[in-house]
Amino acid sequence: MKKIIILMLFIFSFASNLSIVNPTWSIIDCVNNFELVEKKEYKKYLNILKETDKIISLKNSYIDRSVYDKVFNGICDKMILKVKKIYKKEKNPILKKIIFYMQDIKKKAKKRSFAIA
């Protein structure tokens, strides 16, 4: 019984680590939390972008095709332009970092073009 409980704890801890480093979910999190910029909670959004940048920088981190196409063929550019407009008005250095990370994520993002069987 103890072995089963220990095994289940190990499996759950491993699964939770996988969900944290999933680049697709991380990209979705960035898009869904963009409202933080509109609420002027720049540091929170910057932290989300930094984590996403780290995850995307990992070897073999591919984003699901459907999410990649939706985000990087339109939404991402609009988000960057919106932050640039806000930066022009406020000249906040955190916004400049947000723009940098958004552009870096866009460069590093790779589309998954194969199916996992």
Side-chain angles (χ1 to χ4, degrees):
M1 185 67 164
K2 287 183 181 180
K3 289 181 181 179
I4 293 173
I5 292 172
I6 292 172
L7 180 64
M8 293 302 285
L9 287 173
F10 176 75
I11 290 171
F12 286 130
S13 68
F14 182 71
S16 67
N17 288 337
L18 281 179
S19 67
I20 291 171
V21 294
N22 185 326
T24 302
W25 292 345
S26 187
I27 291 295
I28 291 170
D29 192 35
C30 282
V31 173
N32 288 339
N33 285 306
F34 188 72
E35 65 186 23
L36 292 172
V37 171
E38 294 166 354
K39 293 179 181 178
K40 298 187 185 269
E41 296 181 27
Y42 303 137
K43 288 184 180 182
K44 286 182 183 179
Y45 192 66
L46 181 61
N47 289 334
I48 292 169
L49 287 173
K50 285 180 179 180
E51 289 300 316
T52 301
D53 191 49
K54 287 179 189 175
I55 291 168
I56 287 182
S57 297
L58 295 174
K59 188 176 180 182
N60 297 326
S61 61
Y62 294 96
I63 301 165
D64 290 343
R65 175 177 286 199
S66 62
V67 172
Y68 183 94
D69 290 341
K70 289 177 186 173
V71 172
F72 294 103
N73 290 334
I75 295 174
C76 184
D77 292 330
K78 291 176 185 175
M79 289 169 50
I80 292 171
L81 284 174
K82 196 167 194 175
V83 175
K84 283 182 178 181
K85 287 180 183 177
I86 296 170
Y87 175 72
K88 285 181 182 178
K89 291 178 185 175
E90 296 182 18
K91 300 293 183 191
N92 188 331
I94 295 174
L95 288 170
K96 193 168 186 173
K97 289 179 184 178
I98 288 174
I99 294 168
F100 169 78
Y101 278 106
M102 291 174 86
Q103 291 173 337
D104 196 45
I105 289 168
K106 184 178 177 184
K107 287 179 199 172
K108 292 179 182 177
K110 298 170 273 192
K111 184 186 335 184
R112 178 177 285 140
S113 57
F114 54 87
I116 297 175

